[in-house]
Amino acid sequence: MNEFQVLIDNNQRRGDAITKEDPDSFAKLARQQTPELLCFG
């Protein structure tokens, strides 16, 4: 398994664990983020 797949799998497991503990956790985080300016780069 390559390094990127390991990172993706670990990220998925962490997200699943957080969602299992608090199903609304990511929705709560999204509501807190209201930037006036969004920059990419």
Side-chain angles (χ1 to χ4, degrees):
M1 190 178 303
N2 68 39
E3 295 175 25
F4 292 114
Q5 190 61 49
V6 171
L7 291 172
I8 291 168
D9 292 345
N10 288 341
N11 190 43
Q12 181 66 52
R13 280 194 292 276
R14 182 174 182 272
D16 291 345
I18 291 170
T19 302
K20 184 177 178 183
E21 186 175 319
D22 180 6
D24 294 328
S25 61
F26 289 109
K28 290 176 191 174
L29 287 173
R31 285 192 297 270
Q32 294 174 15
Q33 298 183 19
T34 56
E36 292 182 26
L37 178 65
L38 183 60
C39 290
F40 293 95

